[in-house]
Amino acid sequence: VQLQASGGGLVQAGGSLRLSCAASEFTSGHYGVGWFRQAPGKEREAVCSIMATGSRTYYLDSVRGRFSLSRDDANNTVYLQMNSLKPEDTAIYYCTADPHYTGTHFELYDFRGQGTQVTVSS
């Protein structure tokens, strides 16, 4: 599985962006997916994830209620809708996928895409 994240850019605080993660293959129900971010000078952190079955999701406390993860397995794409963006959301965002793991450790995902830059101005 190869992942390609896109949709990043520059937005003013309070604005919205939708990130996309296109996968070379996403057999429906067979892969859990996640989004991570890394801000300059900070450690990478898990933003959200969803199990392969869709039965359980995780959201970082600081984004819960503002960010929403969705998946379109028919088009092999995962989305991260980000609303009410804040300057502290500025980071490089990465998508991940794994047939078994949907936790908060980036390195434990079998598949990890390149990042897309999100910059939120105040």
Side-chain angles (χ1 to χ4, degrees), residues 36-45 90-94 117:
F36 288 75
R37 68 185 182 186
Q38 186 166 21
K42 296 186 177 180
E43 294 187 355
R44 186 180 289 117
E45 62 182 353
T90 295
I92 298 174
Y93 284 72
Y94 303 86
Q117 177 71 48

Side-chain angles (χ1 to χ4, degrees), residues 51-99:
M51 295 182 68
T53 59
S55 60
R56 189 170 66 185
T57 58
Y58 161 84
Y59 286 94
L60 183 67
D61 285 346
S62 62
V63 308
R64 188 175 293 114
R66 300 188 297 120
F67 289 14
S68 178
L69 184 154
S70 62
R71 56 192 299 170
D72 180 353
D73 290 331
N75 291 303
N76 295 339
T77 303
V78 175
Y79 300 100
L80 179 63
Q81 179 66 44
M82 306 186 296
N83 300 324
S84 302
L85 283 161
K86 304 175 181 180
E88 51 264 42
D89 294 320
T90 295
I92 298 174
Y93 284 72
Y94 303 86
C95 58
T96 58
D98 193 281

Side-chain angles (χ1 to χ4, degrees), residues 10-52:
L10 174 64
V11 64
Q12 289 187 332
S16 298
L17 281 175
R18 188 176 77 161
L19 305 184
S20 299
C21 179
S24 59
E25 61 175 89
F26 251 178
T27 305
S28 177
H30 288 187
Y31 287 89
V33 297
W35 285 94
F36 288 75
R37 68 185 182 186
Q38 186 166 21
K42 296 186 177 180
E43 294 187 355
R44 186 180 289 117
E45 62 182 353
V47 176
C48 58
S49 64
I50 186 168
M51 295 182 68

